[in-house]
Amino acid sequence: MSSQYTPVKPHAGSIQNFNVVRASSEDSRTTYAGDLVGRIEYRSAKPINSYQHWSIANIDTVVKTIETKIRQEDDLTRFLQNVRDKLNERELYEPLKNIFRAIEGAVAKQTGYKRSQFRQLVEMSDHVPDTDNMPFPDSKPHFVLAEVPSTSEPLTPAIDVRVVKWRQICGFIEVKPKFEEGPNTHSKTVRTIVSQGANYARFILAARPFQLYVLCVFIYGSHFALGWYDRRGVIISNDYDIDGNLDILIRVVLQLTTHMTSYQLGHDKTAVLLEGHSYYQNQYPSFLVSMGGYGNTTPQWRTDGAPIWSSLSLLGR
């Protein structure tokens, strides 16, 4: 079968799998702006629905407590004022980082909420994640959702951005200073923030071959939207005002950093990290892989080392 929908049909993004010269980030964004035409679903409920599952009963109280704390601090006010003053994009990073860290770490002491997962939203500054010798362009999101070692403290220790690896990243947040730079649903062209996101998503899928999809957050001016990238394209949520929908942003960040399982974040359930292995360790981790059957007769394989080859294409395989 040969059609525009079959995953084996070559497209501009897939050609980069055979390019031995490392592409620039600008080339990659241009490539995926074309590839994503007709593959974007706007105003979908799917992204927000992926954050609705909680294993605790008092989550509304937890979120309200965190929201009250954040509104008492200066970072939200400073962020919104910087947006209104049309300051440089970099002026938005620090207040956002402080807000994300406040959401991640403010919970246990004040509400009794106990985290079950250990991830951190890391502001990457000018540092590009370690590629494990994979031919990635020198490109990175503004914030990465990185898997980090567990801790008994409510807040994970700040990690050194210089040692962050692409394979320990399972999601991201991309920031733009203006509302007009968001994923405009009325635009006839693919917006830069969406094509950039496609670039980051394909790096994550390539560095983590058992990842099926990538969740992300787009922040543009004082608004945000949720994204879901997979091999078919991208799904984008409704537009949310940060000040008016701060509770939604809190729930999303809390889920990403402390609650959602790796499978809820897109990891294939048939591939399990070996005991004692992690995505953030020095050597590439090993997995126990099955064909997804039931019972003790299901064949299993153990991986050893990094992938011999991994597709850099987002769409199809």
Side-chain angles (χ1 to χ4, degrees):
M1 180 178 69
S2 178
S3 77
Q4 61 177 329
Y5 302 107
T6 175
V8 298
K9 180 180 175 62
H11 49 80
S14 66
I15 300 301
Q16 295 190 28
N17 284 322
F18 308 102
N19 188 356
V20 296
V21 178
R22 180 173 295 200
S24 71
S25 57
E26 184 64 35
D27 290 341
S28 301
R29 289 197 295 269
T30 302
T31 294
Y32 276 91
D35 284 349
L36 287 172
V37 173
R39 294 177 178 268
I40 304 176
E41 180 182 344
Y42 294 103
R43 301 195 180 282
S44 171
K46 185 172 184 177
I48 189 64
N49 287 343
S50 63
Y51 298 97
Q52 300 297 328
H53 306 290
W54 295 91
S55 59
I56 57 174
N58 65 331
I59 187 58
D60 291 339
T61 302
V62 171
V63 170
K64 188 63 178 178
T65 300
I66 298 174
E67 181 176 358
T68 300
K69 175 179 172 59
I70 289 176
R71 292 191 182 279
Q72 291 172 345
E73 303 285 337
D74 295 332
D75 292 300
L76 178 62
T77 300
R78 182 155 63 101
F79 167 78
L80 294 173
Q81 187 61 51
N82 288 352
V83 170
R84 286 192 291 268
D85 292 343
K86 300 181 179 180
L87 297 186
N88 184 277
E89 182 180 289
R90 288 181 174 271
E91 300 299 324
L92 306 181
Y93 299 163
E94 184 179 356
L96 283 174
K97 178 178 70 174
N98 293 340
I99 290 170
F100 298 154
R101 292 289 275 171
I103 295 171
E104 179 197 346
V107 288
K109 185 177 180 180
Q110 298 162 327
T111 66
Y113 172 83
K114 300 294 185 182
R115 67 189 302 160
S116 58
Q117 305 294 326
F118 297 89
R119 305 183 194 94
Q120 187 178 131
L121 281 166
V122 182
E123 198 264 293
M124 291 303 294
S125 186
D126 294 323
H127 297 281
V128 177
D130 185 349
T131 65
D132 286 317
N133 295 318
M134 299 184 75
F136 292 179
D138 291 332
S139 181
K140 45 76 182 172
H142 296 125
F143 291 86
V144 300
L145 180 65
E147 297 184 8
V148 296
S150 61
T151 176
S152 59
E153 299 297 322
L155 187 65
T156 56
I159 63 174
D160 187 346
V161 296
R162 296 172 296 180
V163 300
V164 174
K165 302 172 176 61
W166 269 112
R167 59 174 151 92
Q168 78 181 98
I169 298 170
C170 51
F172 64 89
I173 294 179
E174 185 68 2
V175 181
K176 298 293 182 186
K178 301 176 182 178
F179 173 78
E180 294 77 16
E181 296 177 282
N184 191 328
T185 59
H186 302 295
S187 175
K188 295 182 179 180
T189 60
V190 177
R191 305 307 293 267
T192 298
I193 196 171
V194 179
S195 59
Q196 283 181 315
N199 226 16
Y200 309 142
R202 73 186 181 105
F203 298 160
I204 294 172
L205 294 176
R208 300 164 63 102
F210 298 116
Q211 194 80 13
L212 302 177
Y213 58 85
V214 177
L215 300 181
C216 70
V217 181
F218 303 114
I219 294 178
Y220 38 100
S222 59
H223 291 70
F224 72 98
L226 311 175
W228 172 308
Y229 287 90
D230 59 27
R231 298 294 183 181
R232 295 168 295 182
V234 57
I235 303 171
I236 301 174
S237 75
N238 283 326
D239 176 89
Y240 300 101
D241 175 75
I242 291 178
D243 193 27
N245 299 111
L246 183 59
D247 61 318
I248 295 178
L249 184 63
I250 291 172
R251 289 173 186 269
V252 168
V253 172
L254 197 62
Q255 279 275 23
L256 292 174
T257 56
T258 72
H259 191 266
M260 293 177 83
T261 67
S262 61
Y263 307 123
Q264 290 172 324
L265 281 171
H267 203 278
D268 192 336
K269 291 184 178 181
T270 64
V272 181
L273 279 164
L274 290 186
E275 186 175 354
H277 284 240
S278 68
Y279 272 112
Y280 52 79
Q281 67 188 39
N282 289 332
Q283 301 298 319
Y284 201 91
S286 293
F287 300 83
L288 194 63
V289 184
S290 72
M291 295 301 292
Y294 298 93
N296 297 327
T297 60
T298 302
Q300 294 180 318
W301 295 266
R302 173 176 169 165
T303 67
D304 184 22
I308 296 174
W309 181 84
S310 189
S311 174
L312 283 177
S313 172
L314 172 65
L315 304 174
R317 283 285 184 178

